[in-house]
């Protein structure tokens, strides 16, 4: 994800340079792709957000084959003292966000849908229009469900926002120790 204060200009630049098309856009975020993937580039309107020291790159995303692989890596990193600052079910993905030593976020994710078409359809759903951020999830609860035999169909469903919460509340980060050698 790239932060920008010039959404129109940046959207057009990436459309022109990479031959992308807009999958979804509102006044906060724009998702662009050049193939069937739900997005290859994401632009975040940072006009109203304070800079956090990470520059214009908000995050880089890496996908895992399934939730078991994502959770396995989560526990491997946790044993090394590296913990995510946010774990969230966006709807199209379940994502664990980590901050590198220079404050850039790394998103480790698993797709919630079997096909790109299903993921893309979620971007145009009422659920996404009402909450384009997602809902925070707990890795231990995901692991218990996964290992307890709960179906992937049920686990991947994005839960509702907690009572009284707004989508922006789902952007809060956990305080975690900084990585040190």
């Amino acid at each position: 994800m790239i932060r920008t204060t010039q959404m129109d200009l940046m959207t057009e630049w990436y459309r022109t340079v990479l031959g992308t098309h807009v999958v979804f856009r509102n006044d906060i975020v724009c998702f662009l792709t050049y193939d069937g993937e739900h997005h290859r580039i994401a632009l975040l309107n940072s006009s109203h957000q304070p800079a956090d020291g990470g520059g214009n790159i908000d995050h880089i995303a890496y996908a895992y084959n399934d939730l078991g692989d994502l959770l396995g890596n989560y526990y491997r990193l946790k044993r090394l003292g590296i913990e995510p600052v946010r774990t969230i079910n966006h709807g199209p993905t379940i994502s664990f966000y980590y901050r590198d030593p220079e404050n850039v976020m790394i998103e480790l994710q698993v797709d919630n849908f079997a096909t790109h078409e299903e993921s893309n359809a979620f971007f145009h759903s009422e659920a996404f229009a009402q909450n384009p951020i997602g809902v925070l999830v707990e890795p231990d609860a995901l692991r218990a469900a996964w290992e307890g035999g709960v179906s992937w169909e049920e686990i991947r469903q994005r839960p509702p926002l907690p009572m009284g919460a707004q989508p922006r509340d789902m952007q809060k980060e956990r305080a975690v120790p900084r990585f040190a050698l």
Side-chain angles (χ1 to χ4, degrees):
M1 182 170 281
I2 300 168
R3 292 185 196 101
T4 181
T5 58
Q6 303 178 78
M7 284 290 277
D8 292 336
L9 178 64
M10 291 289 282
T11 299
E12 191 55 34
W13 192 87
Y14 279 101
R15 288 182 64 212
T16 301
V17 171
L18 297 179
T20 64
H21 64 275
V22 173
V23 174
F24 175 84
R25 181 175 175 179
N26 64 16
D27 62 337
I28 299 169
V29 68
C30 178
F31 296 110
L32 300 142
T33 192
Y34 46 78
D35 58 12
E37 183 68 28
H38 44 75
H39 71 282
R40 295 293 183 177
I41 301 285
L43 303 173
L44 175 67
N45 184 345
S46 61
S47 298
H48 308 290
Q49 295 183 338
D52 63 8
N56 286 342
I57 301 296
D58 183 78
H59 71 272
I60 301 166
Y62 296 90
Y64 286 81
N65 290 326
D66 62 35
L67 184 61
D69 290 345
L70 179 65
L71 288 169
N73 191 57
Y74 163 79
Y75 286 104
R76 180 185 70 84
L77 293 174
K78 187 174 181 173
R79 284 189 300 276
L80 296 171
I82 302 171
E83 296 187 46
V85 296
R86 182 175 35 184
T87 53
I88 190 164
N89 184 332
H90 287 300
T93 66
I94 293 174
S95 300
F96 294 3
Y97 289 88
Y98 296 80
R99 284 206 177 271
D100 79 7
E102 292 193 353
N103 217 28
V104 174
M105 278 243 239
I106 302 300
E107 176 186 7
L108 305 182
Q109 68 183 26
V110 62
D111 284 336
N112 284 339
F113 296 100
T115 69
H116 296 308
E117 293 78 20
E118 290 174 288
S119 291
N120 290 337
F122 188 84
F123 283 112
H124 299 286
S125 70
E126 185 62 28
F128 191 77
Q130 290 178 3
N131 178 5
I133 306 297
V135 177
L136 296 174
V137 294
E138 288 299 324
D140 291 333
L142 292 173
R143 180 183 189 180
W146 181 255
E147 291 178 351
V150 176
S151 73
W152 172 237
E153 185 66 28
E154 189 174 339
I155 293 171
R156 74 173 182 83
Q157 295 299 314
R158 187 173 78 177
L161 282 168
M163 185 68 75
Q166 298 295 315
R168 68 179 174 276
D169 298 331
M170 302 297 108
Q171 294 179 301
K172 293 179 182 171
E173 293 185 19
R174 298 177 186 161
V176 297
R178 299 301 266 163
F179 178 76
L181 293 174

